[in-house]
PDB file of all heavy atoms in Angstrom:
ATOM      1  N   GLY A  97     -22.556  64.693 -84.737  1.00  0.00           N
ATOM      2  CA  GLY A  97     -23.539  65.328 -85.669  1.00  0.00           C
ATOM      3  C   GLY A  97     -23.411  66.856 -85.604  1.00  0.00           C
ATOM      4  O   GLY A  97     -22.840  67.335 -84.603  1.00  0.00           O
ATOM      5  N   PRO A  98     -23.841  67.437 -86.704  1.00  0.00           N
ATOM      6  CA  PRO A  98     -23.742  68.996 -86.563  1.00  0.00           C
ATOM      7  C   PRO A  98     -24.598  69.584 -85.582  1.00  0.00           C
ATOM      8  O   PRO A  98     -25.717  69.017 -85.363  1.00  0.00           O
ATOM      9  CB  PRO A  98     -24.162  69.306 -88.121  1.00  0.00           C
ATOM     10  CG  PRO A  98     -24.991  68.199 -88.577  1.00  0.00           C
ATOM     11  CD  PRO A  98     -24.383  66.987 -87.877  1.00  0.00           C
ATOM     12  N   VAL A  99     -24.185  70.677 -85.009  1.00  0.00           N
ATOM     13  CA  VAL A  99     -24.960  71.347 -83.975  1.00  0.00           C
ATOM     14  C   VAL A  99     -25.964  72.223 -84.684  1.00  0.00           C
ATOM     15  O   VAL A  99     -25.559  73.085 -85.413  1.00  0.00           O
ATOM     16  CB  VAL A  99     -24.124  72.133 -83.023  1.00  0.00           C
ATOM     17  CG1 VAL A  99     -24.954  72.839 -81.996  1.00  0.00           C
ATOM     18  CG2 VAL A  99     -23.113  71.170 -82.350  1.00  0.00           C
ATOM     19  N   THR A 100     -27.208  71.918 -84.582  1.00  0.00           N
ATOM     20  CA  THR A 100     -28.153  72.743 -85.265  1.00  0.00           C
ATOM     21  C   THR A 100     -28.617  73.841 -84.242  1.00  0.00           C
ATOM     22  O   THR A 100     -29.196  73.526 -83.125  1.00  0.00           O
ATOM     23  CB  THR A 100     -29.368  71.740 -85.578  1.00  0.00           C
ATOM     24  OG1 THR A 100     -29.017  70.690 -86.172  1.00  0.00           O
ATOM     25  CG2 THR A 100     -30.350  72.540 -86.512  1.00  0.00           C
ATOM     26  N   PRO A 101     -28.371  75.058 -84.674  1.00  0.00           N
ATOM     27  CA  PRO A 101     -28.800  76.153 -83.927  1.00  0.00           C
ATOM     28  C   PRO A 101     -30.358  76.235 -83.911  1.00  0.00           C
ATOM     29  O   PRO A 101     -30.926  76.250 -84.964  1.00  0.00           O
ATOM     30  CB  PRO A 101     -28.226  77.404 -84.505  1.00  0.00           C
ATOM     31  CG  PRO A 101     -27.816  76.998 -85.961  1.00  0.00           C
ATOM     32  CD  PRO A 101     -27.692  75.448 -85.921  1.00  0.00           C
ATOM     33  N   SER A 102     -30.855  76.198 -82.706  1.00  0.00           N
ATOM     34  CA  SER A 102     -32.398  76.378 -82.654  1.00  0.00           C
ATOM     35  C   SER A 102     -32.770  77.684 -82.096  1.00  0.00           C
ATOM     36  O   SER A 102     -32.872  77.865 -80.994  1.00  0.00           O
ATOM     37  CB  SER A 102     -32.901  75.197 -81.751  1.00  0.00           C
ATOM     38  OG  SER A 102     -32.285  75.325 -80.451  1.00  0.00           O
ATOM     39  N   GLY A 103     -32.981  78.640 -83.101  1.00  0.00           N
ATOM     40  CA  GLY A 103     -33.438  79.900 -82.721  1.00  0.00           C
ATOM     41  C   GLY A 103     -32.294  80.746 -82.187  1.00  0.00           C
ATOM     42  O   GLY A 103     -31.134  80.345 -82.348  1.00  0.00           O
ATOM     43  N   PRO A 104     -32.617  81.786 -81.623  1.00  0.00           N
ATOM     44  CA  PRO A 104     -31.594  82.714 -81.024  1.00  0.00           C
ATOM     45  C   PRO A 104     -30.840  82.079 -79.956  1.00  0.00           C
ATOM     46  O   PRO A 104     -31.432  81.413 -78.986  1.00  0.00           O
ATOM     47  CB  PRO A 104     -32.416  83.939 -80.600  1.00  0.00           C
ATOM     48  CG  PRO A 104     -33.794  83.463 -80.565  1.00  0.00           C
ATOM     49  CD  PRO A 104     -34.000  82.305 -81.371  1.00  0.00           C
ATOM     50  N   ALA A 105     -29.480  82.348 -79.999  1.00  0.00           N
ATOM     51  CA  ALA A 105     -28.649  81.687 -78.848  1.00  0.00           C
ATOM     52  C   ALA A 105     -28.752  82.417 -77.639  1.00  0.00           C
ATOM     53  O   ALA A 105     -28.398  81.912 -76.655  1.00  0.00           O
ATOM     54  CB  ALA A 105     -27.213  81.704 -79.437  1.00  0.00           C
ATOM     55  N   GLN A 106     -29.254  83.661 -77.734  1.00  0.00           N
ATOM     56  CA  GLN A 106     -29.296  84.385 -76.567  1.00  0.00           C
ATOM     57  C   GLN A 106     -30.122  83.634 -75.442  1.00  0.00           C
ATOM     58  O   GLN A 106     -31.257  83.325 -75.628  1.00  0.00           O
ATOM     59  CB  GLN A 106     -29.846  85.833 -76.760  1.00  0.00           C
ATOM     60  CG  GLN A 106     -28.966  86.618 -77.643  1.00  0.00           C
ATOM     61  CD  GLN A 106     -29.776  87.764 -78.324  1.00  0.00           C
ATOM     62  OE1 GLN A 106     -30.881  87.506 -78.699  1.00  0.00           O
ATOM     63  NE2 GLN A 106     -29.083  88.916 -78.506  1.00  0.00           N
ATOM     64  N   GLY A 107     -29.608  83.609 -74.328  1.00  0.00           N
ATOM     65  CA  GLY A 107     -30.364  83.095 -73.166  1.00  0.00           C
ATOM     66  C   GLY A 107     -30.378  81.602 -73.133  1.00  0.00           C
ATOM     67  O   GLY A 107     -30.726  80.935 -72.166  1.00  0.00           O
ATOM     68  N   SER A 108     -29.812  80.981 -74.193  1.00  0.00           N
ATOM     69  CA  SER A 108     -29.876  79.548 -74.213  1.00  0.00           C
ATOM     70  C   SER A 108     -28.722  78.969 -73.270  1.00  0.00           C
ATOM     71  O   SER A 108     -27.693  79.492 -73.195  1.00  0.00           O
ATOM     72  CB  SER A 108     -29.666  78.822 -75.597  1.00  0.00           C
ATOM     73  OG  SER A 108     -28.379  79.090 -75.996  1.00  0.00           O
ATOM     74  N   LYS A 109     -29.131  78.006 -72.618  1.00  0.00           N
ATOM     75  CA  LYS A 109     -28.261  77.606 -71.525  1.00  0.00           C
ATOM     76  C   LYS A 109     -27.442  76.285 -72.044  1.00  0.00           C
ATOM     77  O   LYS A 109     -28.044  75.318 -72.623  1.00  0.00           O
ATOM     78  CB  LYS A 109     -28.972  77.164 -70.276  1.00  0.00           C
ATOM     79  CG  LYS A 109     -28.390  77.735 -69.031  1.00  0.00           C
ATOM     80  CD  LYS A 109     -29.350  77.438 -67.832  1.00  0.00           C
ATOM     81  CE  LYS A 109     -28.539  77.696 -66.462  1.00  0.00           C
ATOM     82  NZ  LYS A 109     -29.417  77.294 -65.351  1.00  0.00           N
ATOM     83  N   VAL A 110     -26.314  76.302 -71.881  1.00  0.00           N
ATOM     84  CA  VAL A 110     -25.417  75.100 -72.334  1.00  0.00           C
ATOM     85  C   VAL A 110     -25.083  74.360 -71.021  1.00  0.00           C
ATOM     86  O   VAL A 110     -24.449  74.823 -70.193  1.00  0.00           O
ATOM     87  CB  VAL A 110     -24.052  75.521 -73.083  1.00  0.00           C
ATOM     88  CG1 VAL A 110     -23.397  74.363 -73.402  1.00  0.00           C
ATOM     89  CG2 VAL A 110     -24.522  76.281 -74.381  1.00  0.00           C
ATOM     90  N   THR A 111     -25.495  73.090 -71.106  1.00  0.00           N
ATOM     91  CA  THR A 111     -25.210  72.291 -69.983  1.00  0.00           C
ATOM     92  C   THR A 111     -24.069  71.391 -70.353  1.00  0.00           C
ATOM     93  O   THR A 111     -24.095  70.669 -71.210  1.00  0.00           O
ATOM     94  CB  THR A 111     -26.303  71.398 -69.607  1.00  0.00           C
ATOM     95  OG1 THR A 111     -27.508  72.115 -69.247  1.00  0.00           O
ATOM     96  CG2 THR A 111     -26.037  70.495 -68.306  1.00  0.00           C
ATOM     97  N   PRO A 112     -22.858  71.611 -69.601  1.00  0.00           N
ATOM     98  CA  PRO A 112     -21.741  70.704 -69.987  1.00  0.00           C
ATOM     99  C   PRO A 112     -22.070  69.277 -69.725  1.00  0.00           C
ATOM    100  O   PRO A 112     -22.579  68.868 -68.665  1.00  0.00           O
ATOM    101  CB  PRO A 112     -20.604  71.236 -68.955  1.00  0.00           C
ATOM    102  CG  PRO A 112     -21.327  72.080 -67.950  1.00  0.00           C
ATOM    103  CD  PRO A 112     -22.654  72.490 -68.559  1.00  0.00           C
ATOM    104  N   GLN A 113     -21.705  68.439 -70.714  1.00  0.00           N
ATOM    105  CA  GLN A 113     -21.954  67.081 -70.559  1.00  0.00           C
ATOM    106  C   GLN A 113     -20.822  66.379 -69.966  1.00  0.00           C
ATOM    107  O   GLN A 113     -19.636  66.632 -70.306  1.00  0.00           O
ATOM    108  CB  GLN A 113     -22.156  66.400 -72.036  1.00  0.00           C
ATOM    109  CG  GLN A 113     -23.392  66.920 -72.786  1.00  0.00           C
ATOM    110  CD  GLN A 113     -24.608  66.127 -72.325  1.00  0.00           C
ATOM    111  OE1 GLN A 113     -25.301  66.427 -71.264  1.00  0.00           O
ATOM    112  NE2 GLN A 113     -24.891  65.095 -73.044  1.00  0.00           N
ATOM    113  N   ALA A 114     -21.056  65.504 -69.037  1.00  0.00           N
ATOM    114  CA  ALA A 114     -19.993  64.697 -68.418  1.00  0.00           C
ATOM    115  C   ALA A 114     -19.517  63.758 -69.546  1.00  0.00           C
ATOM    116  O   ALA A 114     -20.317  63.417 -70.502  1.00  0.00           O
ATOM    117  CB  ALA A 114     -20.496  63.826 -67.240  1.00  0.00           C
ATOM    118  N   SER A 115     -18.226  63.421 -69.457  1.00  0.00           N
ATOM    119  CA  SER A 115     -17.676  62.600 -70.469  1.00  0.00           C
ATOM    120  C   SER A 115     -18.439  61.258 -70.503  1.00  0.00           C
ATOM    121  O   SER A 115     -18.813  60.725 -69.380  1.00  0.00           O
ATOM    122  CB  SER A 115     -16.196  62.216 -70.020  1.00  0.00           C
ATOM    123  OG  SER A 115     -15.819  61.112 -70.827  1.00  0.00           O
ATOM    124  N   ALA A 116     -18.738  60.836 -71.691  1.00  0.00           N
ATOM    125  CA  ALA A 116     -19.462  59.672 -71.783  1.00  0.00           C
ATOM    126  C   ALA A 116     -18.699  58.323 -71.602  1.00  0.00           C
ATOM    127  O   ALA A 116     -19.148  57.208 -71.505  1.00  0.00           O
ATOM    128  CB  ALA A 116     -20.092  59.485 -73.166  1.00  0.00           C
ATOM    129  N   ALA A 117     -17.301  58.509 -71.452  1.00  0.00           N
ATOM    130  CA  ALA A 117     -16.520  57.361 -71.225  1.00  0.00           C
ATOM    131  C   ALA A 117     -16.799  56.679 -69.943  1.00  0.00           C
ATOM    132  O   ALA A 117     -16.742  57.331 -68.911  1.00  0.00           O
ATOM    133  CB  ALA A 117     -15.110  57.726 -71.352  1.00  0.00           C
ATOM    134  N   PRO A 118     -17.164  55.471 -69.921  1.00  0.00           N
ATOM    135  CA  PRO A 118     -17.412  54.755 -68.591  1.00  0.00           C
ATOM    136  C   PRO A 118     -16.027  54.571 -67.937  1.00  0.00           C
ATOM    137  O   PRO A 118     -15.052  54.268 -68.566  1.00  0.00           O
ATOM    138  CB  PRO A 118     -18.050  53.458 -69.011  1.00  0.00           C
ATOM    139  CG  PRO A 118     -17.566  53.129 -70.421  1.00  0.00           C
ATOM    140  CD  PRO A 118     -17.348  54.585 -71.054  1.00  0.00           C
ATOM    141  N   ALA A 119     -16.050  54.617 -66.565  1.00  0.00           N
ATOM    142  CA  ALA A 119     -14.922  54.393 -65.817  1.00  0.00           C
ATOM    143  C   ALA A 119     -14.575  52.902 -66.005  1.00  0.00           C
ATOM    144  O   ALA A 119     -15.266  52.020 -65.659  1.00  0.00           O
ATOM    145  CB  ALA A 119     -15.098  54.652 -64.384  1.00  0.00           C
ATOM    146  N   ALA A 120     -13.365  52.699 -66.644  1.00  0.00           N
ATOM    147  CA  ALA A 120     -12.939  51.274 -66.700  1.00  0.00           C
ATOM    148  C   ALA A 120     -12.560  50.665 -65.445  1.00  0.00           C
ATOM    149  O   ALA A 120     -11.441  51.030 -64.878  1.00  0.00           O
ATOM    150  CB  ALA A 120     -11.722  51.292 -67.688  1.00  0.00           C
TER     151      ALA A 120
END
Side-chain angles (χ1 to χ4, degrees):
V99 178
T100 312
S102 56
Q106 292 158 324
S108 74
K109 226 174 170 181
V110 176
T111 306
Q113 292 278 86
S115 165

